[in-house]
């Protein structure tokens, strides 16, 4: 498979579709792997893949597997059924942070919101802290919702970049249950 080197002429300049809000792991992967492309956020894996099929994006970067939870669903199944070309893949380390509005304290947190795949990667840690996991459509989207709510009992599980984007305080870094927590992303082309 082709690596994430210089862009091919037909894809530059372009747009790289990903699922999530700015600050999500897929957003970070787009910025790192396709710096010449504009990362474009979509609310669902279906919408990101659909944007590629419709020509709204030159590629799509989709997470399909994680070392802690296995297949990332429904993304892995959608990639298999999409009829698109996988032009490259990369394993990226995933470091999860627990973040909340400024002034919130770890002992006050009752719930932590995030994408089901991210929650699955830190269930033991959240359980040990007495925090109830709450599913959201995206890691960074959960951070945005927590920031907007300004409730000191609500937190988000997301990449640390999301805390910067949404002006949240990180209560604890590296809350993933496995020190070797990695996700495989595939870069799709039409």
């Amino acid at each position: 498979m082709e690596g994430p080197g210089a862009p091919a002429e037909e894809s530059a300049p372009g747009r790289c579709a990903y699922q999530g809000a700015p600050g999500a792991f897929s957003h970070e992967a787009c910025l790192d792997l396709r710096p010449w492309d504009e990362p474009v956020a979509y609310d669902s894996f279906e919408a990101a893949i659909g944007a590629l099929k419709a020509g709204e994006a030159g590629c799509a970067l989709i997470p399909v597997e994680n070392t802690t939870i296995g297949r990332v669903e429904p993304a892995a199944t959608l990639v298999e059924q999409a009829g698109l070309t996988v032009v490259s893949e990369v394993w990226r380390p995933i470091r999860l942070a627990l973040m909340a509005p400024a002034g919130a304290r770890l002992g006050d947190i009752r719930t932590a919101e995030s994408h089901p795949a991210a929650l699955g990667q830190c269930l033991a840690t959240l359980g040990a802290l007495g925090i109830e996991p709450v599913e959201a459509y995206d890691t960074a989207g959960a951070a945005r919702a927590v920031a907007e709510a300004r409730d000191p009992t609500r937190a988000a599980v997301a990449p640390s970049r999301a805390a910067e984007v949404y002006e949240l305080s990180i209560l604890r870094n590296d809350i993933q249950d496995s020190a070797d927590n990695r996700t495989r992303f595939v870069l799709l082309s039409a």
Side-chain angles (χ1 to χ4, degrees):
M1 290 185 180
E2 178 182 311
E9 285 188 34
E10 66 272 7
S11 66
R15 296 162 50 101
C16 185
Y18 69 93
Q19 181 274 332
F25 287 109
S26 294
H27 181 226
E28 288 182 345
C30 282
L31 292 171
D32 291 346
L33 300 173
R34 303 287 294 188
W36 53 85
D37 283 339
E38 172 191 2
V40 183
Y42 290 88
D43 287 342
S44 67
F45 296 117
E46 295 93 340
I49 290 170
L52 173 58
K53 287 182 167 184
E56 297 171 16
C59 63
L61 192 65
I62 307 292
V64 293
E65 183 179 2
N66 176 270
T67 55
T68 301
I69 63 164
R71 287 171 60 96
V72 175
E73 290 295 354
T77 298
L78 290 168
V79 166
E80 290 169 358
Q81 296 172 348
L84 298 167
T85 302
V86 174
V87 294
S88 67
E89 64 179 48
V90 63
W91 282 92
R92 294 181 48 85
I94 301 296
R95 301 290 174 253
L96 299 166
L98 184 68
M99 56 194 69
R105 297 177 312 171
L106 185 59
D108 296 332
I109 301 301
R110 299 291 167 250
T111 61
E113 303 167 29
S114 195
H115 188 276
L119 291 173
Q121 295 166 40
C122 62
L123 281 177
T125 302
L126 291 176
L129 294 170
I131 298 172
E132 178 186 349
V134 176
E135 291 186 2
Y137 84 95
D138 173 51
T139 56
R144 180 176 55 215
V146 165
E148 290 170 354
R150 296 183 182 165
D151 179 345
T153 67
R154 287 175 61 185
V157 173
S160 58
R161 182 177 289 184
E164 296 171 24
V165 171
Y166 301 108
E167 299 178 352
L168 294 171
S169 297
I170 294 179
L171 301 177
R172 184 171 288 179
N173 276 309
D174 291 327
I175 65 164
Q176 63 278 351
D177 295 334
S178 169
D180 185 34
N181 190 37
R182 294 174 292 126
T183 295
R184 181 169 63 104
F185 291 85
V186 293
L187 184 68
L188 302 173
S189 173

